[in-house]
Amino acid sequence: MITAICDLLAADITLASILTGGIHDGTDAQEISRQNTPSAFDANQELKPCVLVKAETQTPWGPNRDSARLYVQLFFYQRFGYAAIEAAADRCYQLLHRSRPTPENGDGMAELLHADDLRGMEDQALNAAMIISRYVGNLGRAR
């Protein structure tokens, strides 16, 4: 499901122009770092605006035995200030809220909904500005 969400985001030209450091799949890279996500850094090894998409929690949900609720986090990073990642978080809301991303295996989500944002944060390890957006979706099948 995370890859399907990343694919949906990566297909948007407006978002790609804001997040010059890329859209990173949390199933491949557990964190933004020079080793795991080198495209998130410029030639001077400075962090570019980017996002890391990760699954947070999956819980049983709904009337069906095999349905579940999946929480997804988007970690937005920017070296200084918040202008680019504020714009990126807003654009992701437009793209993801009430969307229905479908992974290649056909398992789908009934609907992905915006849950909340943590804005104006800092990541001390990266020494960068950070925003975290959370989304929740009801899955047709629990895994």
Side-chain angles (χ1 to χ4, degrees):
M1 185 56 62
I2 299 303
T3 302
I5 292 169
C6 289
D7 291 345
L8 191 152
L9 296 176
D12 187 69
I13 296 168
T14 302
L15 185 61
S17 69
I18 298 168
L19 295 175
T20 57
I23 297 160
H24 302 278
D25 187 329
T27 58
D28 295 329
Q30 290 73 38
E31 65 182 2
I32 298 294
S33 69
R34 288 171 183 82
Q35 295 78 24
N36 291 335
T37 55
S39 63
F41 296 86
D42 66 16
N44 296 320
Q45 296 301 306
E46 293 291 333
L47 184 65
K48 299 185 285 187
C50 61
V51 66
L52 177 65
V53 182
K54 296 182 79 169
E56 178 188 359
T57 304
Q58 184 169 315
T59 60
W61 183 260
N64 301 323
R65 288 178 183 250
D66 60 352
S67 62
R69 185 171 256 188
L70 175 66
Y71 292 85
V72 177
Q73 291 181 311
L74 281 70
F75 296 89
F76 298 90
Y77 299 100
Q78 179 177 339
R79 180 71 177 106
F80 294 109
Y82 292 89
I85 58 175
E86 287 279 352
D90 292 343
R91 182 64 182 162
C92 285
Y93 175 86
Q94 293 171 348
L95 296 169
L96 295 178
H97 183 64
R98 298 196 176 277
S99 69
R100 289 180 166 83
T102 303
E104 288 181 19
N105 70 2
D107 289 352
M109 195 171 277
E111 190 171 47
L112 189 63
L113 300 171
H114 181 260
D116 60 23
D117 286 334
L118 295 172
R119 302 218 177 202
M121 299 182 67
E122 294 180 31
D123 184 299
Q124 293 181 349
L126 288 172
N127 192 25
M130 179 175 68
I131 293 173
I132 302 172
S133 291
R134 289 178 68 227
Y135 291 82
V136 60
N138 296 321
L139 299 172
R141 293 175 51 182
R143 293 199 178 261

